[in-house]
Amino acid sequence: MVKKIILTPIQKFVKIESSSGILLLLATILALVLANSPFSESYQSLWDYKIGFVTEDFKLNKPLLLWINDGLMAIFFLLIGLEIKREFLIGELNSLKKVAFPLLGALGGIIIPVLFYFILNDNPETTKGWGIPMATDIAFSLALLKVLGNRVPLSLKVFLTAFAIVDDLGAVLVIALFYSSNIQLMLLGIALLLLVALYLISYLGYYSNFILIFLGVIIWTLFLKSGIHPTLAGILLAFSVPIRQKITTPEFVDNLVEITNNIKKASVSKKPILLKGQISEIDDLGEWTDKYQSPLQNLEHKLHNWVAYLIIPLFAFANSGVVLSSGLDLETALIVNIGICLVLGKSIGISLIIFIAKKIKLIEVPSDISNQQIIGVSFLAGIGFTMAIFIASLAFADSPKYIDSAKIGILIGSIIAAIIGYLILRFKK
């Protein structure tokens, strides 16, 4: 029973991310088709269309592409923040022993690709793209594991999920430290003070989605205007959402039984409406349910489908449309570099550090995960689509040539890594 309670949320998470990966793939293909079709100009102009408002004292007028990359992706980062907080407090990363296996794998998957990038890069103008091959696209990678079915154990999916979350956290830190510029300290200070106030309210035991949204919009705007990338507001806002329940399960069950009995005893109207007593009981049920639910888990549950089935596919659709014509001005060296970092940097970095740590008994690998499966998943980690494209758009914001080259490198590298990883896991001995 306990095992079922623990594994069911993980299995549901894997199912949602796997389905999202398929939708993500379709959005990517559609974007590439439209960008290389007679509708190419309409496709590009759509994302350049400006939306917002301008006053004498304030301006917030951005192209649709940036509303997606800066606005909707902040919600994606909010979800990542909720997942990170949950995993560190009560999940697969809540103890040193549990975190060691995916943590060391994630560190290898971050450090080695970055080293590969610096070694292979010979163009000073593309040096700032070193953060591109860091993160793993969890939706695509879990989608491939889903296709493999029972050939891979659930523990391998948990491992992939855990180190992908750590990868994302590393990417977030890199964005904060290296891809934000022209920082306005006063605006940033105000944003941080609002965050502190939000944390304090949460610590005192009061939480409201309305307050989170209201202050969240203000904090997001302040981050945007201060020069810090606004998506980071999503991560910081997530840490203000409490995970604790206000009442225990036995207390909730007792009240649920009492409410149910009261509804059974109440008079039943022949009309399709509730009587006053029934309305009161339903209101009580809502109040007890709110107290019983973990705010973090509840918000994560509500956001997950929106992110998986709308925000991430829309991001892919808006950012994957690269024109693949022979006359396109591209940086071939950058394409090759990113491809190598994703395919070899990730696979070597993750598997090598895990095998060394396993040999010297720093970690304990689950018995149902083989060395071949670790290598296979290490290649799947080279699928760096969503976060990689996002970092590329920040690194080369002023150079369409390098952005297009980076996107092509990400696509090629991710496809090769996916094929190799799939074949290794598919034909496991």
Side-chain angles (χ1 to χ4, degrees):
M1 180 66 180
V2 174
K3 184 177 180 181
K4 183 177 180 181
I5 292 173
I6 294 173
L7 293 184
T8 299
I10 297 174
Q11 291 169 328
K12 185 177 181 181
F13 175 85
V14 169
K15 182 178 180 180
I16 292 175
E17 291 295 340
S18 302
S19 303
S20 172
I22 296 171
L23 191 58
L24 194 57
L25 177 61
L26 294 175
T28 303
I29 294 172
L30 180 59
L32 286 169
V33 169
L34 287 176
N36 293 275
S37 73
F39 302 101
S40 176
E41 188 174 336
S42 299
Y43 170 83
Q44 298 296 341
S45 61
L46 171 65
W47 308 121
D48 292 333
Y49 183 77
K50 287 192 173 184
I51 301 174
F53 56 91
V54 180
T55 67
E56 291 183 4
D57 302 317
F58 184 78
K59 178 180 180 182
L60 190 59
N61 193 35
K62 300 160 69 71
L64 182 58
L65 179 64
L66 291 185
W67 277 111
I68 293 171
N69 291 355
D70 294 351
L72 289 182
M73 287 299 283
I75 300 175
F76 166 70
F77 275 79
L78 173 63
L79 179 61
I80 286 180
L82 294 172
E83 292 170 352
I84 290 172
K85 182 174 180 178
R86 172 177 50 78
E87 290 296 327
F88 273 108
L89 291 178
I90 60 171
E92 292 301 315
L93 306 175
N94 71 337
S95 70
L96 187 59
K97 187 175 181 180
K98 286 183 179 180
V99 78
F101 180 30
L103 176 61
L104 289 176
L107 288 176
I110 291 173
I111 295 170
I112 301 303
V114 171
L115 288 177
F116 269 46
Y117 188 93
F118 280 121
I119 292 170
L120 296 173
N121 183 69
D122 57 2
N123 182 357
E125 292 183 0
T126 57
T127 301
K128 56 187 176 182
W130 60 268
I132 295 171
M134 284 180 52
T136 296
D137 193 293
I138 192 171
F140 268 142
S141 51
L142 281 178
L144 277 176
L145 288 187
K146 178 72 173 178
V147 172
L148 290 164
N150 294 329
R151 291 185 179 88
V152 294
L154 181 60
S155 57
L156 193 68
K157 297 173 185 176
V158 172
F159 166 63
L160 175 61
T161 302
F163 85 63
I165 288 173
V166 176
D167 264 5
D168 283 341
L169 180 57
V172 167
L173 293 174
V174 165
I175 291 171
L177 296 174
F178 300 102
Y179 293 109
S180 298
S181 58
N182 301 321
I183 298 175
Q184 302 291 324
L185 292 178
M186 181 176 292
L187 295 178
L188 179 60
I190 296 172
L192 294 178
L193 284 175
L194 290 176
L195 278 169
V196 170
L198 204 53
Y199 293 156
L200 182 60
I201 292 171
S202 175
Y203 178 76
L204 294 174
Y206 184 78
Y207 171 78
S208 165
N209 281 337
F210 172 78
I211 293 177
L212 180 72
I213 294 170
F214 178 74
L215 290 181
V217 171
I218 296 174
I219 292 168
W220 177 88
T221 305
L222 288 169
F223 267 68
L224 176 69
K225 294 298 183 180
S226 70
I228 298 290
H229 202 273
T231 51
L232 297 179
I235 288 281
L236 297 175
L237 286 168
F239 296 147
S240 74
V241 182
I243 198 168
R244 62 182 178 273
Q245 298 167 296
K246 291 185 177 180
I247 59 172
T248 63
T249 296
E251 189 177 357
F252 176 74
V253 171
D254 289 343
N255 283 280
L256 184 61
V257 170
E258 183 180 347
I259 290 171
T260 303
N261 290 334
N262 290 339
I263 291 176
K264 286 180 179 179
K265 293 175 184 177
S267 300
V268 179
S269 173
K270 294 181 180 181
K271 298 178 181 179
I273 57 173
L274 298 177
L275 297 177
K276 187 176 181 180
Q278 292 171 319
I279 292 175
S280 177
E281 295 298 334
I282 294 298
D283 287 342
D284 287 345
L285 176 61
E287 291 177 9
W288 284 109
T289 301
D290 288 340
K291 292 178 181 178
Y292 182 57
Q293 287 181 318
S294 161
L296 186 145
Q297 184 183 36
N298 189 33
L299 183 59
E300 184 182 349
H301 173 72
K302 289 179 178 178
L303 288 179
H304 215 141
N305 286 342
W306 284 102
V307 170
Y309 298 130
L310 176 64
I311 293 175
I312 295 302
L314 184 58
F315 171 84
F317 182 58
N319 287 274
S320 303
V322 181
V323 180
L324 304 174
S325 66
S326 57
L328 190 64
D329 184 21
L330 295 173
E331 180 73 11
T332 305
L334 180 61
I335 296 173
V336 173
N337 188 355
I338 291 175
I340 291 174
C341 290
L342 289 174
V343 177
L344 296 181
K346 279 286 188 181
S347 58
I348 293 173
I350 294 170
S351 55
L352 183 62
I353 197 169
I354 286 177
F355 291 151
I356 293 174
K358 182 181 177 183
K359 185 73 174 176
I360 60 178
K361 302 187 184 306
L362 275 179
I363 60 172
E364 184 179 339
V365 179
S367 58
D368 56 351
I369 296 180
S370 68
N371 288 341
Q372 184 174 336
Q373 287 174 326
I374 290 173
I375 294 172
V377 164
S378 297
F379 274 100
L380 291 188
I383 305 173
F385 190 80
T386 304
M387 193 68 83
I389 289 180
F390 185 74
I391 293 177
S393 67
L394 299 179
F396 304 125
D398 300 323
S399 177
K401 170 185 174 180
Y402 293 142
I403 288 181
D404 287 341
S405 301
K407 287 179 180 179
I408 293 174
I410 292 165
L411 289 171
I412 293 174
S414 296
I415 291 171
I416 295 173
I419 292 172
I420 295 174
Y422 175 83
L423 292 176
I424 291 173
L425 293 171
R426 172 66 177 80
F427 298 103
K428 174 186 174 295
K429 296 178 182 178

